[in-house]
Amino acid sequence: MSLLRWLAVTLRSFRRAPLFTGLVVATLGVGIGATTLVFSIADGLVLNPFPYPEPGRLVGVGTAYPKLGGELQFWEHLSPLEYLDLADQSTLTDVVAWDMGNRQIDELGTENVFTAFWWGDAFPTLRMTPAVGRGFRPDEIGQGAQVAIISHRLWQDRFGADPDLVGEPIHIAGDPYTLVGVMPAGALIYGTDLWTPMAVE
C-alpha cells in the first residue's frame, strides 16, 4: 500500500471515530508537553545549570547561620569590609559581591525592576559581555558611578529594543543613570534585569 493511500485510509478511520481521534491527539499533546517540560528542567538543573562558561571554577561565599533545631542554614551576603578582606587576602582570581533589590525606572512608570548592585565587576568574571554597548569601566566600578546595564528582555519588552537608548540617561528612583550596555538574550543572573556598580564604603 502506498503512503498516500495509507494516509487516506487513516484519515477516513479518524473521521469515523472522532472521539477516539480526539483522545489520541490529546494524549500525544500531553506526552509531548510533559517530555519538553522534563527536558527543560533537566537541562537547566543538571546539564546546563549556569548560563555562563566554566561554572566549575566559581565559588559562592557567604555567612552561614545554623537554624535552631535543624540542620538547614540561611546565607547572608558579605558586608563591604568582608568583601574587601576576601578580595585582598584570598587566592581567588576575582572576587565580586552584590546586593539585590527592587528599584523603579521612572521611564517605565511605577513598575519595580529587580536590580543587582555590584561590588567589583561580575561580567568579566562570568565571561559575559554586553551585546549592545559596553560593560562597566574600572573607574566607574571604583567610584560607584551612576551608570547602568539592563537585560536583553527588559530592553526588548519595555524599551522596544531601541539601539539609540545606549548612551542616554534613564532615571532610577529619580536619579539619572547613563545606560551603557545591554546584555545578550538569556544572560540573566538571579533573575535581575538591571545592574549598577556600588562603591565599597
Side-chain angles (χ1 to χ4, degrees):
M1 181 183 296
S2 69
L3 177 61
L4 291 177
R5 187 176 176 188
W6 179 83
L7 287 174
V9 171
T10 302
L11 290 174
R12 280 198 299 271
S13 300
F14 281 162
R15 278 199 297 269
R16 290 193 202 104
L19 184 62
F20 174 74
T21 302
L23 183 61
V24 169
V25 171
T27 302
L28 284 172
V30 170
I32 292 170
T35 302
T36 303
L37 176 63
V38 169
F39 177 78
S40 298
I41 293 172
D43 184 59
L45 296 179
V46 180
L47 302 178
N48 296 292
F50 301 104
Y52 29 78
E54 301 183 278
R57 299 190 53 168
L58 301 176
V59 177
V61 179
T63 304
Y65 297 89
K67 290 184 177 178
L68 296 176
E71 297 180 356
L72 297 177
Q73 299 174 333
F74 67 89
W75 290 82
E76 267 190 11
H77 293 294
L78 299 176
S79 70
L81 289 178
E82 288 172 326
Y83 162 73
L84 289 174
D85 284 344
L86 192 62
D88 292 340
Q89 300 176 27
S90 75
T91 58
L92 298 173
T93 304
D94 297 298
V95 177
V96 178
W98 62 84
D99 200 356
M100 291 179 286
N102 288 316
R103 287 193 288 179
Q104 290 181 355
I105 298 178
D106 297 354
E107 286 80 0
L108 301 181
T110 59
E111 176 186 351
N112 284 327
V113 176
F114 198 36
T115 303
F117 310 86
W118 291 135
W119 297 329
D121 194 353
F123 295 124
T125 303
L126 299 177
R127 310 293 191 267
M128 298 168 70
T129 56
V132 181
R134 62 171 177 84
F136 298 134
R137 296 194 307 255
D139 61 300
E140 293 171 338
I141 292 190
Q143 298 169 6
Q146 290 184 254
V147 291
I149 294 175
I150 61 174
S151 70
H152 188 275
R153 70 180 178 187
L154 184 67
W155 178 61
Q156 188 170 51
D157 295 347
R158 301 309 312 275
F159 289 103
D162 180 5
D164 296 328
L165 187 67
V166 174
E168 295 297 317
I170 59 173
H171 293 80
I172 302 173
D175 296 323
Y177 282 69
T178 301
L179 182 66
V180 297
V182 177
M183 294 306 291
L188 297 175
I189 304 172
Y190 292 111
T192 50
D193 282 305
L194 173 69
W195 301 277
T196 61
M198 185 165 62
V200 181
E201 300 175 352

